[in-house]
Amino acid sequence: MKLVFKSLPLFLITLLLLTSCKEGFIIEDSNSSTNQSSNTPAIPGNYLQTTLYAGDNYSFGFYDGIGTDALIKDVRGMLIAGNELFIGDQYKLRKINLSNLQVTTLAGTGGWGDADGDSQTSIIGNTMGLQFIGDQLYFSDFQNRKIKKMDTSRNIVSVSTQSMDTTHINGMTKIGTDLYYVRAHSVWSFNTISNTATLIAGDANLNGAADGLGTGARFDSATDITTDGTGLYITDCNNNAIRKLK
């Protein structure tokens, strides 16, 4: 950053420097032939440029449009499939075409609730983890404590699991046709053929910090999950740890 002072009194220049919270600036006085540097750090060559891709920094909403003309509200889950970026944007499922940046709403009215239906009538209670199996887009409905799916060939949303007691579903991943997700202090599998959920580690209602076999393990707020194709990796948030399940 360059600060330019043109014939300013010395006391005012000093005051500006003392009250500045910026580092790495260059002081340039138009009355002086020399510049002083405050050791501006060099930018490493491996830094990447950050660019606003879609949405607006100063406004939010559910307006469909192209790139920064669109409005986005509260994205909690993302998934790239082919040339499209699918996002769980609070009470809506949306997608962004990676070629032309068109943002399109797939499902959800924009209001909180719980109802199956098509792209115009389905109501969702906060979308989180997203995963594709075939042409079925599975997602966790956080507020309603359910796993739902959208048939992307027909744009129909339906429930895959009923409400799961009082704990919410967070992140989700897949191996083959099975989904794996975290709920509170536990890890679950979901068979998409039989639509059955099975507890495989921890206890949703008991927190702790313990390695162990199956339900003998303890987590304290498992928030996300991913896989390398064989093992599962879980963020154990309140224990400041990454756990592996295999």
Side-chain angles (χ1 to χ4, degrees):
M1 178 180 179
K2 179 181 289 186
L3 304 178
V4 180
F5 305 102
K6 294 185 177 181
S7 303
L8 292 177
L10 180 60
F11 80 91
L12 185 53
I13 294 176
T14 304
L15 179 61
L16 287 172
L17 293 180
L18 289 175
T19 56
S20 173
C21 61
K22 302 295 183 182
E23 294 182 357
F25 50 77
I26 295 176
I27 304 169
E28 182 177 303
D29 186 346
S30 60
N31 293 329
S32 173
S33 60
T34 60
N35 291 337
Q36 302 173 36
S37 174
S38 62
N39 300 319
T40 304
I43 298 177
N46 59 352
Y47 274 21
L48 301 178
Q49 176 66 40
T50 299
T51 305
L52 180 62
Y53 192 72
D56 188 313
N57 287 328
Y58 305 102
S59 301
F60 62 87
F62 297 119
Y63 176 74
D64 289 347
I66 296 177
T68 55
D69 288 333
L71 293 180
I72 293 171
K73 190 171 185 182
D74 186 10
V75 175
R76 300 294 181 90
M78 294 193 300
L79 176 69
I80 288 179
N83 194 46
E84 294 175 315
L85 172 63
F86 293 83
I87 61 174
D89 190 4
Q90 201 178 50
Y91 308 132
K92 288 194 174 192
L93 272 179
R94 307 173 79 185
K95 70 177 180 180
I96 303 174
N97 185 296
L98 299 179
S99 296
N100 59 21
L101 304 188
Q102 176 65 52
V103 179
T104 305
T105 296
L106 299 175
T109 62
W112 181 88
D114 186 14
D116 294 351
D118 59 22
S119 58
Q120 301 298 316
T121 60
S122 57
I123 305 175
I124 300 168
N126 223 332
T127 50
M128 298 286 283
L130 292 85
Q131 288 293 329
F132 260 108
I133 295 182
D135 58 4
Q136 306 295 311
L137 177 58
Y138 288 84
F139 61 96
S140 57
D141 187 332
F142 181 81
Q143 297 290 350
N144 292 313
R145 305 181 299 280
K146 297 177 180 181
I147 291 178
K148 296 184 177 182
K149 66 180 177 181
M150 180 174 190
D151 185 336
T152 56
S153 65
R154 298 184 300 135
N155 283 354
I156 299 295
V157 173
S158 59
V159 173
S160 291
T161 64
Q162 294 302 316
S163 182
M164 298 181 174
D165 58 63
T166 59
T167 57
H168 300 291
I169 302 171
N170 291 310
M172 186 161 57
T173 189
K174 71 173 182 179
I175 299 177
T177 58
D178 288 334
L179 297 172
Y180 294 87
Y181 58 90
V182 288
R183 289 176 47 214
H185 319 303
S186 60
V187 184
W188 294 68
S189 66
F190 179 76
N191 186 299
T192 60
I193 306 301
S194 62
N195 282 352
T196 54
T198 304
L199 174 65
I200 60 174
D203 186 317
N205 299 302
L206 291 175
N207 66 318
D211 293 342
L213 184 63
T215 56
R218 289 291 176 267
F219 303 87
D220 193 348
S221 189
T223 55
D224 206 358
I225 184 170
T226 191
T227 181
D228 59 4
T230 55
L232 298 169
Y233 299 83
I234 299 103
T235 55
D236 192 356
C237 184
N238 290 338
N239 285 323
N240 314 308
I242 305 294
R243 314 285 288 279
K244 182 177 181 179
L245 180 62
K246 186 174 182 179

